Amino acid sequence: MQIGIVGLGLVGGSAALAWADEGHLVKAFDLAPAEADLHGIELVDDLEELLDCDACVLAVPLPSLPTVLPTFATYTGLLTDVTSVKQPVVDLVAEHCPQVRFVGGHPMAGKETAGFSAADKTLFRERPWVLTSDNDSISDVESASELVSSIGARVLVTSARRHDQAVARVSHLPHVLAVALKRAGEADSFAMEIAAGSFRDGTRVASSPIELITAMCAGNSAALVPLIEEAIEDLQRARSALQESTPESAFTEWINDSRL
Amino acid sequence: MQIGIVGLGLVGGSAALAWADEGHLVKAFDLAPAEADLHGIELVDDLEELLDCDACVLAVPLPSLPTVLPTFATYTGLLTDVTSVKQPVVDLVAEHCPQVRFVGGHPMAGKETAGFSAADKTLFRERPWVLTSDNDSISDVESASELVSSIGARVLVTSARRHDQAVARVSHLPHVLAVALKRAGEADSFAMEIAAGSFRDGTRVASSPIELITAMCAGNSAALVPLIEEAIEDLQRARSALQESTPESAFTEWINDSRL
């Protein structure tokens, strides 16, 4: 099978390495390709050279998709992507290439490091890879499913909207809280000297590239804003518990409260 | 040197193992000692049996200190502790044993697992160990400093109040945010299926024993409440940025904002 990759960053590069390792012919386009051993991935100079591939994977940030998508308007292979929000991609595909066989994709794997130099063909093994079913074509979803499960990912099929709500909870909200926590800690240099595991873990993803955090949070604001509001209300309850006359029992109750 | 330990949990047990390993005679009291190989630590049946030690380390949770402290009212050795808030301990010592040579202590090392079975003599190596200087005795601080640096900890001396403000930032606030994030994620079972590193890291410390989280947060509410309020305001700004007409630039500005 011939697979085209647009963008050889961490995710595109890791997937390209994994597919090449599985024996597929992998062609890739990158505006500024890394000067590294590509382990058999063939670099092409123009996006158009990917149009004869059986499947193409867009592994560029959301803001780059409007530039890339028009090239695929008449593409007849399977088109998928790896961006961390799905409804905006579904909308862009409908706008720029409504005829294409598109299945949205989102591998739930990553690192706080970026670029092809951090790429790893085992990155997706046993990790969830969400496929969105919005184009209503079972055969396209099946093809996409075969593609990503061949490199070890666990496929989960859902709608773009359902996906976006879920990642707002378990990926975008964590990033927002990590940024706020990092700022709170760094306001006190002595605090930073004694910072240990809880601060390090709680702020790890705040070190992700700012443009990536922005792209996923701003691109998913419809789902994220209500969750930030819930978090604010939850913190207000924590504060009130700590201000009660018996803060121990009130705060324990707050920790155990699962009614939200 | 003879060292007494009250409480053979994760922290007390790790310190006891480390001091025994350094060749000190270590005696320990625990209400329900683990049935484990104590590697030379001598268990005693009564707290009083520790009163002939050169130094005693209280490694019990804050709520247990009022029960333990009266025994040390006439103790002439060096008394220290390991609880994660310091001003309440200084106050309790002043109330129950005002004559004792007390230097507060807080090792900035831990795990989300608890108990002697998780104890590790290397737990404190290269980790900060805060000593509080509130009793104004340089020689007592020096003795405490020798004690904890002998097992590899990096000593930092400060006041109880300054310590409590700093740990509120880098330890207690992270626990509060982790609890809120865990609750947000667990409200959606599909979200939990696709949860990856950012959620796992952001919620790790929410798995600490609830009574420990409560003891440190409720015991340090004076410092923690203003930080929760700052975090709420920070999240309100994040929400507003995401609701602007150009959320990308507004949200990037929010991430970069270091004025807080």
Side-chain angles (χ1 to χ4, degrees):
Chain A
M1 190 167 169
Q2 241 189 83
I3 303 171
I5 312 275
V6 184
L8 279 181
L10 171 67
V11 172
S14 296
L17 288 174
W19 279 312
D21 194 59
E22 286 293 310
H24 295 292
L25 177 64
V26 179
K27 299 201 288 187
F29 174 82
D30 194 291
L31 281 177
E35 292 186 11
D37 179 358
L38 295 179
H39 298 272
I41 302 165
E42 180 194 337
L43 276 183
V44 300
D45 295 325
D46 288 296
L47 261 187
E48 285 75 12
E49 295 178 57
L50 301 181
L51 295 179
D52 61 347
C53 290
D54 304 293
C56 275
V57 182
L58 308 179
V60 296
L62 182 63
S64 304
L65 284 180
T67 315
V68 170
L69 280 172
T71 303
F72 292 88
T74 57
Y75 179 54
T76 55
L78 179 78
L79 186 68
T80 185
D81 77 318
V82 300
T83 53
S84 58
V85 288
K86 299 270 61 77
Q87 190 60 51
V89 181
V90 168
D91 295 342
L92 285 169
V93 169
E95 180 185 345
H96 293 286
C97 31
Q99 306 300 327
V100 84
R101 295 166 47 210
F102 176 76
V103 174
H106 182 204
M108 303 303 296
K111 308 180 187 179
E112 63 276 30
T113 47
F116 187 80
S117 57
D120 170 3
K121 69 179 181 187
T122 69
L123 188 62
F124 308 110
R125 284 196 196 147
E126 299 301 322
R127 301 300 316 153
W129 191 311
V130 178
L131 297 175
T132 59
S133 51
D134 303 71
N135 82 343
D136 280 331
S137 161
I138 287 293
S139 68
D140 289 348
V141 171
E142 280 174 0
S143 302
S145 174
E146 276 175 41
L147 194 66
V148 305
S149 56
S150 75
I151 56 177
R154 291 196 295 108
V155 171
L156 288 164
V157 181
T158 190
S159 67
R161 173 178 297 271
R162 192 75 196 78
H163 164 274
D164 289 356
Q165 288 173 339
V167 289
R169 284 186 193 276
V170 293
S171 174
H172 306 164
L173 183 62
H175 280 80
V176 170
L177 295 180
V179 168
L181 179 59
K182 184 160 180 268
R183 178 151 45 226
E186 289 179 349
D188 179 342
S189 59
F190 177 68
M192 294 306 289
E193 268 192 79
I194 63 171
S198 64
F199 185 76
R200 189 178 57 240
D201 287 357
T203 57
R204 185 182 61 86
V205 293
S207 305
S208 303
I210 290 177
E211 58 276 20
L212 273 190
I213 304 179
T214 296
M216 59 194 188
C217 291
N220 198 19
S221 59
L224 182 54
V225 163
L227 292 176
I228 294 178
E229 281 164 4
E230 274 181 28
I232 289 170
E233 286 166 23
D234 206 1
L235 293 180
Q236 284 166 339
R237 273 191 293 272
R239 179 192 52 189
S240 302
L242 290 172
Q243 290 174 320
E244 286 202 14
S245 54
T246 54
E248 286 79 9
S249 60
F251 193 76
T252 299
E253 212 172 286
W254 175 75
I255 295 178
N256 284 325
D257 186 357
S258 56
R259 286 170 305 168
L260 279 184
Chain B
M1 192 167 168
Q2 241 190 82
I3 304 172
I5 312 275
V6 184
L8 278 182
L10 171 68
V11 172
S14 296
L17 288 174
W19 278 313
D21 194 59
E22 286 294 309
H24 295 292
L25 178 62
V26 180
K27 300 201 286 187
F29 174 82
D30 195 290
L31 281 178
E35 291 186 14
D37 179 358
L38 294 178
H39 297 273
I41 302 165
E42 180 194 336
L43 276 183
V44 299
D45 295 323
D46 288 297
L47 259 186
E48 285 75 12
E49 296 179 55
L50 301 180
L51 295 178
D52 62 345
C53 290
D54 304 294
C56 276
V57 182
L58 309 179
V60 295
L62 182 63
S64 303
L65 285 179
T67 315
V68 170
L69 279 171
T71 304
F72 292 88
T74 58
Y75 179 55
T76 56
L78 179 77
L79 187 67
T80 185
D81 77 318
V82 300
T83 52
S84 59
V85 288
K86 299 270 61 76
Q87 190 60 51
V89 181
V90 168
D91 295 342
L92 285 169
V93 169
E95 181 185 344
H96 293 285
C97 32
Q99 306 299 327
V100 85
R101 295 165 49 210
F102 176 75
V103 174
H106 181 204
M108 304 301 297
K111 306 181 188 179
E112 63 277 29
T113 46
F116 187 80
S117 57
D120 170 6
K121 69 180 181 186
T122 69
L123 187 64
F124 308 110
R125 284 196 196 147
E126 299 301 322
R127 302 300 317 154
W129 190 311
V130 178
L131 296 175
T132 60
S133 52
D134 302 72
N135 82 342
D136 280 330
S137 162
I138 288 293
S139 69
D140 289 348
V141 171
E142 280 174 1
S143 303
S145 174
E146 275 175 43
L147 194 66
V148 305
S149 56
S150 74
I151 55 175
R154 292 195 295 106
V155 171
L156 288 163
V157 180
T158 190
S159 67
R161 174 177 297 270
R162 189 79 195 76
H163 165 275
D164 288 356
Q165 288 172 339
V167 289
R169 283 186 193 276
V170 294
S171 175
H172 306 165
L173 183 61
H175 280 80
V176 171
L177 295 181
V179 168
L181 179 59
K182 186 160 180 266
R183 178 151 43 226
E186 290 179 348
D188 178 343
S189 59
F190 177 69
M192 293 307 290
E193 268 192 78
I194 63 171
S198 63
F199 185 76
R200 190 178 54 237
D201 287 358
T203 56
R204 185 182 60 87
V205 293
S207 305
S208 302
I210 290 176
E211 56 276 20
L212 273 190
I213 305 180
T214 295
M216 59 193 188
C217 291
N220 198 19
S221 59
L224 182 54
V225 163
L227 292 176
I228 293 177
E229 281 163 3
E230 275 182 28
I232 289 170
E233 287 166 23
D234 206 1
L235 294 179
Q236 284 166 339
R237 274 191 292 273
R239 179 192 52 189
S240 301
L242 290 172
Q243 290 175 319
E244 286 202 15
S245 54
T246 54
E248 285 79 10
S249 60
F251 194 76
T252 299
E253 212 172 284
W254 175 75
I255 295 178
N256 284 324
D257 185 357
S258 56
R259 286 170 306 167
L260 279 185

